[in-house]
Structure formats: C-alpha cells, structure tokens
Amino acid sequence: MNKLIILILSVLLTVLSVVNSNETKWDYSSSGSSDTTPGDFDYYLFVQQWIYSYCSESKCIENKEREAFTIHGLWPNDRNNSYPAYCTGPSFDLGEISDLEDQLNIDWISLTEDNDLFWTSEYKKHGTCAVVAGSPISNEHDYFVAGLKLYTQHNLTSALISENIYPSDQDTYESDSISSAINNQFGGQPVMQCDNNKLSTIALCIDKKTLSIMDCPEVDGFDTCSGKVSIPSSSYKL
C-alpha cells in the first residue's frame, strides 16, 4: 500500500513539473510578484516574437505563420526583476475589443491556440495590472489599443530590414548588431531572447506614463543571445 501511494505521488509531481515548464517556457521570468495592485510597477516590456524561431520549437497552426514579428504581450515589469500579475479588477470581456479583432487577428496572434484564448490569458495575467483610471491605459480596450499602436510605431521587421538585417536560413548576424539596429531605429536599447542560436524574442521597454520607448534595464530571462545568431526565414523547417 505504501509503495502504491509513493508511486501515485511521484506521478503527480512529474505531471506538475511538466505543466509548470510549459507555462514558463516563453515567459521572461519566473520571479512574479505577489502584489496584485494595478499600476504598481516601473515600466512595460513590449514583447514581440519571431514566428519562425518560435515555430521551430513548438507546433504552430500553419495558416498563422508569416515572416514577421508579432505581439506576444505588453507586460508591466519592475526594475528589481519582479513583476505584478493577475491583479484585481474587471475580467476579460471579448466584446470590449470587438472593434479591434480584425487587427488583433493579424498582429497579436497565438501560434498554438485560438486567439481569443491567448488574449484572455495575456489580459488576465498582465493587462489587469496595467489598467489604472486616469492613466494612458484605463480599461481593457485601452490595453489592446496600446499594444497595437506600439506595434505600428515599432515595427521590428521593417526596422531590421532598414539596417540590412534580413531573415535567412543561411546568414547569421552578431547579436550586438541586431540590438544596435533596433536602438538606431527607435532610440531605445532592447533586450532579446535566443533559442539554439535563433533570435526568438525582442522586447522594448516602454515608459508607463508616456508609452514612449526607453532603454531597457537588465531583465531576467532576456539577453540570452550572444555571438552570431540567425533569424530563420519563412522557408525554415526542422
């Protein structure tokens, strides 16, 4: 009987470990704050992901693949590398952003699930902490509008091409050159993530009061790129 209990506990621990691993794989840090007060943070991380690096590691929905950075999220963050999450306030309501859905379905997409499930998750975890009356983001609609505006203002795909950095399955680039190119185009030092020497994520730091770009401080989980890295092209397949 004791052996059976030990076996069951072992299986449960293994399952929990896998679930937690999947939840944090594409997040920037596991050091979330217990603070659930909206607005209590230092700045935003505006996170964009390169589809073909992501899809080389995860099974993506093929009709959503395109050669572009797309929005992962707009995340409140603190300079001490903690961040608020799951703050108090109204829950996600798809009807509140019905006028934005066409654009969200292009620029703020989930590559592995229905988009509305992705938006729900992003708003529940991060958006609720951004919403403060009288601030640039005072409700759910403002949150998604802010993300779409930042995406238009800071088009990473075009910015890199302007600096002669192109997606390619053959060419590689110094990671510092990519970071400098973004800084040259937008006037703010980004942070980046790479996976197996492939550029997967670029995050810009955004002032919470003005929603303008700023230099990023050190951010846990980012700056994992070094030396030469690739930006896989749309023909890239494992």
PDB file of all heavy atoms in Angstrom, residues 52-82:
ATOM      1  N   TYR A  52       9.115  32.235 -36.886  1.00  0.00           N
ATOM      2  CA  TYR A  52       9.760  31.003 -37.348  1.00  0.00           C
ATOM      3  C   TYR A  52      10.785  30.445 -36.371  1.00  0.00           C
ATOM      4  O   TYR A  52      11.149  29.275 -36.468  1.00  0.00           O
ATOM      5  CB  TYR A  52      10.330  31.206 -38.752  1.00  0.00           C
ATOM      6  CG  TYR A  52       9.192  31.255 -39.743  1.00  0.00           C
ATOM      7  CD1 TYR A  52       8.708  32.471 -40.201  1.00  0.00           C
ATOM      8  CD2 TYR A  52       8.542  30.097 -40.128  1.00  0.00           C
ATOM      9  CE1 TYR A  52       7.624  32.528 -41.046  1.00  0.00           C
ATOM     10  CE2 TYR A  52       7.452  30.143 -40.969  1.00  0.00           C
ATOM     11  CZ  TYR A  52       6.990  31.350 -41.436  1.00  0.00           C
ATOM     12  OH  TYR A  52       5.897  31.400 -42.252  1.00  0.00           O
ATOM     13  N   SER A  53      11.239  31.243 -35.435  1.00  0.00           N
ATOM     14  CA  SER A  53      12.033  30.683 -34.345  1.00  0.00           C
ATOM     15  C   SER A  53      11.117  29.973 -33.353  1.00  0.00           C
ATOM     16  O   SER A  53      11.416  28.888 -32.871  1.00  0.00           O
ATOM     17  CB  SER A  53      12.833  31.777 -33.629  1.00  0.00           C
ATOM     18  OG  SER A  53      13.796  32.330 -34.477  1.00  0.00           O
ATOM     19  N   TYR A  54      10.000  30.613 -33.072  1.00  0.00           N
ATOM     20  CA  TYR A  54       9.026  30.016 -32.150  1.00  0.00           C
ATOM     21  C   TYR A  54       8.515  28.697 -32.716  1.00  0.00           C
ATOM     22  O   TYR A  54       8.444  27.685 -32.007  1.00  0.00           O
ATOM     23  CB  TYR A  54       7.869  30.991 -31.934  1.00  0.00           C
ATOM     24  CG  TYR A  54       6.843  30.533 -30.923  1.00  0.00           C
ATOM     25  CD1 TYR A  54       6.872  31.009 -29.622  1.00  0.00           C
ATOM     26  CD2 TYR A  54       5.846  29.628 -31.269  1.00  0.00           C
ATOM     27  CE1 TYR A  54       5.936  30.594 -28.692  1.00  0.00           C
ATOM     28  CE2 TYR A  54       4.915  29.205 -30.348  1.00  0.00           C
ATOM     29  CZ  TYR A  54       4.958  29.694 -29.059  1.00  0.00           C
ATOM     30  OH  TYR A  54       4.032  29.264 -28.144  1.00  0.00           O
ATOM     31  N   CYS A  55       8.175  28.703 -33.994  1.00  0.00           N
ATOM     32  CA  CYS A  55       7.540  27.520 -34.580  1.00  0.00           C
ATOM     33  C   CYS A  55       8.522  26.385 -34.844  1.00  0.00           C
ATOM     34  O   CYS A  55       8.109  25.269 -35.161  1.00  0.00           O
ATOM     35  CB  CYS A  55       6.817  27.909 -35.865  1.00  0.00           C
ATOM     36  SG  CYS A  55       5.389  28.974 -35.569  1.00  0.00           S
ATOM     37  N   SER A  56       9.821  26.663 -34.726  1.00  0.00           N
ATOM     38  CA  SER A  56      10.779  25.562 -34.828  1.00  0.00           C
ATOM     39  C   SER A  56      10.864  24.801 -33.518  1.00  0.00           C
ATOM     40  O   SER A  56      11.390  23.696 -33.461  1.00  0.00           O
ATOM     41  CB  SER A  56      12.171  26.096 -35.207  1.00  0.00           C
ATOM     42  OG  SER A  56      12.744  26.818 -34.135  1.00  0.00           O
ATOM     43  N   GLU A  57      10.339  25.393 -32.436  1.00  0.00           N
ATOM     44  CA  GLU A  57      10.366  24.757 -31.122  1.00  0.00           C
ATOM     45  C   GLU A  57       8.992  24.257 -30.691  1.00  0.00           C
ATOM     46  O   GLU A  57       8.887  23.401 -29.816  1.00  0.00           O
ATOM     47  CB  GLU A  57      10.890  25.752 -30.073  1.00  0.00           C
ATOM     48  CG  GLU A  57      12.293  26.274 -30.352  1.00  0.00           C
ATOM     49  CD  GLU A  57      13.331  25.174 -30.321  1.00  0.00           C
ATOM     50  OE1 GLU A  57      13.201  24.260 -29.486  1.00  0.00           O
ATOM     51  OE2 GLU A  57      14.265  25.220 -31.148  1.00  0.00           O
ATOM     52  N   SER A  58       7.939  24.793 -31.263  1.00  0.00           N
ATOM     53  CA  SER A  58       6.577  24.402 -30.915  1.00  0.00           C
ATOM     54  C   SER A  58       5.792  24.144 -32.194  1.00  0.00           C
ATOM     55  O   SER A  58       6.085  24.705 -33.240  1.00  0.00           O
ATOM     56  CB  SER A  58       5.890  25.516 -30.110  1.00  0.00           C
ATOM     57  OG  SER A  58       6.587  25.790 -28.928  1.00  0.00           O
ATOM     58  N   LYS A  59       4.783  23.291 -32.095  1.00  0.00           N
ATOM     59  CA  LYS A  59       3.946  23.003 -33.265  1.00  0.00           C
ATOM     60  C   LYS A  59       2.945  24.136 -33.430  1.00  0.00           C
ATOM     61  O   LYS A  59       2.097  24.365 -32.579  1.00  0.00           O
ATOM     62  CB  LYS A  59       3.213  21.667 -33.101  1.00  0.00           C
ATOM     63  CG  LYS A  59       2.390  21.268 -34.320  1.00  0.00           C
ATOM     64  CD  LYS A  59       1.830  19.883 -34.175  1.00  0.00           C
ATOM     65  CE  LYS A  59       0.929  19.519 -35.370  1.00  0.00           C
ATOM     66  NZ  LYS A  59       1.653  19.614 -36.645  1.00  0.00           N
ATOM     67  N   CYS A  60       3.075  24.865 -34.523  1.00  0.00           N
ATOM     68  CA  CYS A  60       2.237  26.035 -34.747  1.00  0.00           C
ATOM     69  C   CYS A  60       1.094  25.720 -35.713  1.00  0.00           C
ATOM     70  O   CYS A  60       1.149  24.758 -36.487  1.00  0.00           O
ATOM     71  CB  CYS A  60       3.075  27.177 -35.320  1.00  0.00           C
ATOM     72  SG  CYS A  60       4.290  27.829 -34.164  1.00  0.00           S
ATOM     73  N   ILE A  61       0.082  26.564 -35.653  1.00  0.00           N
ATOM     74  CA  ILE A  61      -1.021  26.493 -36.606  1.00  0.00           C
ATOM     75  C   ILE A  61      -0.527  27.109 -37.915  1.00  0.00           C
ATOM     76  O   ILE A  61      -0.201  28.291 -37.974  1.00  0.00           O
ATOM     77  CB  ILE A  61      -2.241  27.261 -36.064  1.00  0.00           C
ATOM     78  CG1 ILE A  61      -2.691  26.650 -34.730  1.00  0.00           C
ATOM     79  CG2 ILE A  61      -3.376  27.246 -37.083  1.00  0.00           C
ATOM     80  CD1 ILE A  61      -3.739  27.468 -33.996  1.00  0.00           C
ATOM     81  N   GLU A  62      -0.449  26.309 -38.963  1.00  0.00           N
ATOM     82  CA  GLU A  62       0.254  26.714 -40.182  1.00  0.00           C
ATOM     83  C   GLU A  62      -0.314  27.973 -40.819  1.00  0.00           C
ATOM     84  O   GLU A  62       0.430  28.808 -41.319  1.00  0.00           O
ATOM     85  CB  GLU A  62       0.270  25.562 -41.187  1.00  0.00           C
ATOM     86  CG  GLU A  62       1.190  24.414 -40.782  1.00  0.00           C
ATOM     87  CD  GLU A  62       1.346  23.389 -41.882  1.00  0.00           C
ATOM     88  OE1 GLU A  62       0.877  23.644 -43.014  1.00  0.00           O
ATOM     89  OE2 GLU A  62       1.933  22.314 -41.613  1.00  0.00           O
ATOM     90  N   ASN A  63      -1.621  28.127 -40.808  1.00  0.00           N
ATOM     91  CA  ASN A  63      -2.182  29.291 -41.511  1.00  0.00           C
ATOM     92  C   ASN A  63      -1.945  30.600 -40.762  1.00  0.00           C
ATOM     93  O   ASN A  63      -2.326  31.667 -41.232  1.00  0.00           O
ATOM     94  CB  ASN A  63      -3.669  29.100 -41.797  1.00  0.00           C
ATOM     95  CG  ASN A  63      -4.521  29.004 -40.536  1.00  0.00           C
ATOM     96  OD1 ASN A  63      -4.038  29.170 -39.420  1.00  0.00           O
ATOM     97  ND2 ASN A  63      -5.808  28.727 -40.719  1.00  0.00           N
ATOM     98  N   LYS A  64      -1.326  30.527 -39.585  1.00  0.00           N
ATOM     99  CA  LYS A  64      -0.979  31.747 -38.854  1.00  0.00           C
ATOM    100  C   LYS A  64       0.481  32.138 -39.063  1.00  0.00           C
ATOM    101  O   LYS A  64       0.913  33.189 -38.611  1.00  0.00           O
ATOM    102  CB  LYS A  64      -1.247  31.567 -37.358  1.00  0.00           C
ATOM    103  CG  LYS A  64      -2.727  31.446 -37.005  1.00  0.00           C
ATOM    104  CD  LYS A  64      -2.913  31.443 -35.502  1.00  0.00           C
ATOM    105  CE  LYS A  64      -4.377  31.381 -35.138  1.00  0.00           C
ATOM    106  NZ  LYS A  64      -4.582  31.462 -33.672  1.00  0.00           N
ATOM    107  N   GLU A  65       1.243  31.308 -39.735  1.00  0.00           N
ATOM    108  CA  GLU A  65       2.658  31.585 -39.919  1.00  0.00           C
ATOM    109  C   GLU A  65       2.861  32.648 -41.002  1.00  0.00           C
ATOM    110  O   GLU A  65       2.253  32.606 -42.061  1.00  0.00           O
ATOM    111  CB  GLU A  65       3.409  30.307 -40.304  1.00  0.00           C
ATOM    112  CG  GLU A  65       3.405  29.255 -39.194  1.00  0.00           C
ATOM    113  CD  GLU A  65       4.233  28.034 -39.551  1.00  0.00           C
ATOM    114  OE1 GLU A  65       5.003  28.106 -40.533  1.00  0.00           O
ATOM    115  OE2 GLU A  65       4.119  27.012 -38.866  1.00  0.00           O
ATOM    116  N   ARG A  66       3.705  33.613 -40.712  1.00  0.00           N
ATOM    117  CA  ARG A  66       4.098  34.610 -41.698  1.00  0.00           C
ATOM    118  C   ARG A  66       5.443  35.187 -41.279  1.00  0.00           C
ATOM    119  O   ARG A  66       5.832  35.108 -40.113  1.00  0.00           O
ATOM    120  CB  ARG A  66       3.054  35.719 -41.831  1.00  0.00           C
ATOM    121  CG  ARG A  66       2.834  36.557 -40.581  1.00  0.00           C
ATOM    122  CD  ARG A  66       1.584  37.430 -40.742  1.00  0.00           C
ATOM    123  NE  ARG A  66       1.310  38.241 -39.569  1.00  0.00           N
ATOM    124  CZ  ARG A  66       1.684  39.500 -39.411  1.00  0.00           C
ATOM    125  NH1 ARG A  66       2.359  40.109 -40.384  1.00  0.00           N
ATOM    126  NH2 ARG A  66       1.382  40.178 -38.321  1.00  0.00           N
ATOM    127  N   GLU A  67       6.158  35.755 -42.223  1.00  0.00           N
ATOM    128  CA  GLU A  67       7.507  36.238 -41.960  1.00  0.00           C
ATOM    129  C   GLU A  67       7.433  37.608 -41.297  1.00  0.00           C
ATOM    130  O   GLU A  67       7.499  38.644 -41.952  1.00  0.00           O
ATOM    131  CB  GLU A  67       8.306  36.311 -43.259  1.00  0.00           C
ATOM    132  CG  GLU A  67       9.794  36.525 -43.034  1.00  0.00           C
ATOM    133  CD  GLU A  67      10.581  36.436 -44.327  1.00  0.00           C
ATOM    134  OE1 GLU A  67      10.817  35.300 -44.786  1.00  0.00           O
ATOM    135  OE2 GLU A  67      10.939  37.487 -44.858  1.00  0.00           O
ATOM    136  N   ALA A  68       7.276  37.602 -39.987  1.00  0.00           N
ATOM    137  CA  ALA A  68       7.136  38.856 -39.256  1.00  0.00           C
ATOM    138  C   ALA A  68       7.266  38.618 -37.761  1.00  0.00           C
ATOM    139  O   ALA A  68       7.021  37.513 -37.277  1.00  0.00           O
ATOM    140  CB  ALA A  68       5.777  39.487 -39.541  1.00  0.00           C
ATOM    141  N   PHE A  69       7.662  39.670 -37.072  1.00  0.00           N
ATOM    142  CA  PHE A  69       7.486  39.678 -35.626  1.00  0.00           C
ATOM    143  C   PHE A  69       6.010  39.946 -35.344  1.00  0.00           C
ATOM    144  O   PHE A  69       5.369  40.739 -36.032  1.00  0.00           O
ATOM    145  CB  PHE A  69       8.330  40.785 -34.981  1.00  0.00           C
ATOM    146  CG  PHE A  69       9.789  40.456 -34.866  1.00  0.00           C
ATOM    147  CD1 PHE A  69      10.674  40.814 -35.865  1.00  0.00           C
ATOM    148  CD2 PHE A  69      10.272  39.781 -33.749  1.00  0.00           C
ATOM    149  CE1 PHE A  69      12.025  40.515 -35.770  1.00  0.00           C
ATOM    150  CE2 PHE A  69      11.620  39.479 -33.642  1.00  0.00           C
ATOM    151  CZ  PHE A  69      12.501  39.845 -34.641  1.00  0.00           C
ATOM    152  N   THR A  70       5.467  39.295 -34.335  1.00  0.00           N
ATOM    153  CA  THR A  70       4.103  39.569 -33.897  1.00  0.00           C
ATOM    154  C   THR A  70       4.114  39.822 -32.391  1.00  0.00           C
ATOM    155  O   THR A  70       5.074  39.491 -31.693  1.00  0.00           O
ATOM    156  CB  THR A  70       3.153  38.406 -34.223  1.00  0.00           C
ATOM    157  OG1 THR A  70       3.651  37.197 -33.632  1.00  0.00           O
ATOM    158  CG2 THR A  70       3.020  38.217 -35.725  1.00  0.00           C
ATOM    159  N   ILE A  71       3.036  40.408 -31.912  1.00  0.00           N
ATOM    160  CA  ILE A  71       2.967  40.777 -30.499  1.00  0.00           C
ATOM    161  C   ILE A  71       2.796  39.538 -29.637  1.00  0.00           C
ATOM    162  O   ILE A  71       1.938  38.692 -29.892  1.00  0.00           O
ATOM    163  CB  ILE A  71       1.778  41.725 -30.245  1.00  0.00           C
ATOM    164  CG1 ILE A  71       1.891  42.980 -31.109  1.00  0.00           C
ATOM    165  CG2 ILE A  71       1.707  42.104 -28.757  1.00  0.00           C
ATOM    166  CD1 ILE A  71       0.640  43.846 -31.084  1.00  0.00           C
ATOM    167  N   HIS A  72       3.632  39.439 -28.598  1.00  0.00           N
ATOM    168  CA  HIS A  72       3.387  38.458 -27.547  1.00  0.00           C
ATOM    169  C   HIS A  72       2.615  39.109 -26.413  1.00  0.00           C
ATOM    170  O   HIS A  72       1.625  38.571 -25.941  1.00  0.00           O
ATOM    171  CB  HIS A  72       4.703  37.874 -27.031  1.00  0.00           C
ATOM    172  CG  HIS A  72       4.512  36.725 -26.083  1.00  0.00           C
ATOM    173  ND1 HIS A  72       5.497  35.815 -25.815  1.00  0.00           N
ATOM    174  CD2 HIS A  72       3.469  36.341 -25.332  1.00  0.00           C
ATOM    175  CE1 HIS A  72       5.056  34.914 -24.949  1.00  0.00           C
ATOM    176  NE2 HIS A  72       3.822  35.233 -24.636  1.00  0.00           N
ATOM    177  N   GLY A  73       3.078  40.287 -25.974  1.00  0.00           N
ATOM    178  CA  GLY A  73       2.329  40.936 -24.915  1.00  0.00           C
ATOM    179  C   GLY A  73       2.922  42.263 -24.494  1.00  0.00           C
ATOM    180  O   GLY A  73       4.027  42.640 -24.894  1.00  0.00           O
ATOM    181  N   LEU A  74       2.152  42.975 -23.703  1.00  0.00           N
ATOM    182  CA  LEU A  74       2.566  44.231 -23.077  1.00  0.00           C
ATOM    183  C   LEU A  74       2.548  43.975 -21.579  1.00  0.00           C
ATOM    184  O   LEU A  74       1.480  43.893 -20.972  1.00  0.00           O
ATOM    185  CB  LEU A  74       1.599  45.358 -23.475  1.00  0.00           C
ATOM    186  CG  LEU A  74       1.909  46.761 -22.954  1.00  0.00           C
ATOM    187  CD1 LEU A  74       3.266  47.257 -23.449  1.00  0.00           C
ATOM    188  CD2 LEU A  74       0.798  47.733 -23.361  1.00  0.00           C
ATOM    189  N   TRP A  75       3.741  43.847 -20.996  1.00  0.00           N
ATOM    190  CA  TRP A  75       3.873  43.309 -19.644  1.00  0.00           C
ATOM    191  C   TRP A  75       4.399  44.351 -18.654  1.00  0.00           C
ATOM    192  O   TRP A  75       5.543  44.824 -18.796  1.00  0.00           O
ATOM    193  CB  TRP A  75       4.845  42.120 -19.644  1.00  0.00           C
ATOM    194  CG  TRP A  75       4.459  40.998 -20.538  1.00  0.00           C
ATOM    195  CD1 TRP A  75       3.249  40.763 -21.118  1.00  0.00           C
ATOM    196  CD2 TRP A  75       5.312  39.921 -20.971  1.00  0.00           C
ATOM    197  NE1 TRP A  75       3.291  39.609 -21.879  1.00  0.00           N
ATOM    198  CE2 TRP A  75       4.545  39.079 -21.812  1.00  0.00           C
ATOM    199  CE3 TRP A  75       6.652  39.606 -20.728  1.00  0.00           C
ATOM    200  CZ2 TRP A  75       5.068  37.936 -22.398  1.00  0.00           C
ATOM    201  CZ3 TRP A  75       7.174  38.461 -21.321  1.00  0.00           C
ATOM    202  CH2 TRP A  75       6.388  37.636 -22.139  1.00  0.00           C
ATOM    203  N   PRO A  76       3.632  44.722 -17.642  1.00  0.00           N
ATOM    204  CA  PRO A  76       4.168  45.534 -16.561  1.00  0.00           C
ATOM    205  C   PRO A  76       5.357  44.831 -15.903  1.00  0.00           C
ATOM    206  O   PRO A  76       5.315  43.607 -15.686  1.00  0.00           O
ATOM    207  CB  PRO A  76       2.984  45.652 -15.589  1.00  0.00           C
ATOM    208  CG  PRO A  76       1.765  45.484 -16.454  1.00  0.00           C
ATOM    209  CD  PRO A  76       2.182  44.461 -17.478  1.00  0.00           C
ATOM    210  N   ASN A  77       6.401  45.605 -15.614  1.00  0.00           N
ATOM    211  CA  ASN A  77       7.611  44.998 -15.045  1.00  0.00           C
ATOM    212  C   ASN A  77       8.260  45.965 -14.057  1.00  0.00           C
ATOM    213  O   ASN A  77       8.038  47.172 -14.103  1.00  0.00           O
ATOM    214  CB  ASN A  77       8.608  44.657 -16.163  1.00  0.00           C
ATOM    215  CG  ASN A  77       9.597  43.587 -15.756  1.00  0.00           C
ATOM    216  OD1 ASN A  77       9.201  42.571 -15.194  1.00  0.00           O
ATOM    217  ND2 ASN A  77      10.872  43.783 -16.030  1.00  0.00           N
ATOM    218  N   ASP A  78       9.069  45.422 -13.165  1.00  0.00           N
ATOM    219  CA  ASP A  78       9.777  46.216 -12.168  1.00  0.00           C
ATOM    220  C   ASP A  78      11.274  46.135 -12.399  1.00  0.00           C
ATOM    221  O   ASP A  78      11.792  45.140 -12.923  1.00  0.00           O
ATOM    222  CB  ASP A  78       9.462  45.714 -10.755  1.00  0.00           C
ATOM    223  CG  ASP A  78       8.031  46.000 -10.348  1.00  0.00           C
ATOM    224  OD1 ASP A  78       7.568  47.125 -10.592  1.00  0.00           O
ATOM    225  OD2 ASP A  78       7.374  45.100  -9.783  1.00  0.00           O
ATOM    226  N   ARG A  79      11.978  47.182 -11.975  1.00  0.00           N
ATOM    227  CA  ARG A  79      13.424  47.222 -12.158  1.00  0.00           C
ATOM    228  C   ARG A  79      14.161  46.193 -11.303  1.00  0.00           C
ATOM    229  O   ARG A  79      15.317  45.878 -11.579  1.00  0.00           O
ATOM    230  CB  ARG A  79      13.955  48.629 -11.854  1.00  0.00           C
ATOM    231  CG  ARG A  79      13.556  49.656 -12.911  1.00  0.00           C
ATOM    232  CD  ARG A  79      14.164  51.010 -12.651  1.00  0.00           C
ATOM    233  NE  ARG A  79      13.808  51.973 -13.683  1.00  0.00           N
ATOM    234  CZ  ARG A  79      14.444  52.108 -14.839  1.00  0.00           C
ATOM    235  NH1 ARG A  79      15.494  51.344 -15.094  1.00  0.00           N
ATOM    236  NH2 ARG A  79      14.054  53.004 -15.730  1.00  0.00           N
ATOM    237  N   ASN A  80      13.507  45.666 -10.301  1.00  0.00           N
ATOM    238  CA  ASN A  80      14.149  44.638  -9.481  1.00  0.00           C
ATOM    239  C   ASN A  80      13.891  43.229 -10.024  1.00  0.00           C
ATOM    240  O   ASN A  80      14.141  42.232  -9.364  1.00  0.00           O
ATOM    241  CB  ASN A  80      13.686  44.737  -8.027  1.00  0.00           C
ATOM    242  CG  ASN A  80      12.195  44.438  -7.863  1.00  0.00           C
ATOM    243  OD1 ASN A  80      11.499  44.133  -8.839  1.00  0.00           O
ATOM    244  ND2 ASN A  80      11.702  44.537  -6.637  1.00  0.00           N
ATOM    245  N   ASN A  81      13.355  43.191 -11.269  1.00  0.00           N
ATOM    246  CA  ASN A  81      13.107  41.935 -11.978  1.00  0.00           C
ATOM    247  C   ASN A  81      11.982  41.098 -11.383  1.00  0.00           C
ATOM    248  O   ASN A  81      11.888  39.901 -11.634  1.00  0.00           O
ATOM    249  CB  ASN A  81      14.386  41.098 -12.103  1.00  0.00           C
ATOM    250  CG  ASN A  81      15.257  41.571 -13.247  1.00  0.00           C
ATOM    251  OD1 ASN A  81      14.767  41.816 -14.347  1.00  0.00           O
ATOM    252  ND2 ASN A  81      16.542  41.739 -12.993  1.00  0.00           N
ATOM    253  N   SER A  82      11.128  41.726 -10.611  1.00  0.00           N
ATOM    254  CA  SER A  82       9.850  41.101 -10.287  1.00  0.00           C
ATOM    255  C   SER A  82       8.796  41.748 -11.179  1.00  0.00           C
ATOM    256  O   SER A  82       9.091  42.685 -11.930  1.00  0.00           O
ATOM    257  CB  SER A  82       9.508  41.294  -8.806  1.00  0.00           C
ATOM    258  OG  SER A  82       9.307  42.668  -8.528  1.00  0.00           O
TER     259      SER A  82
END
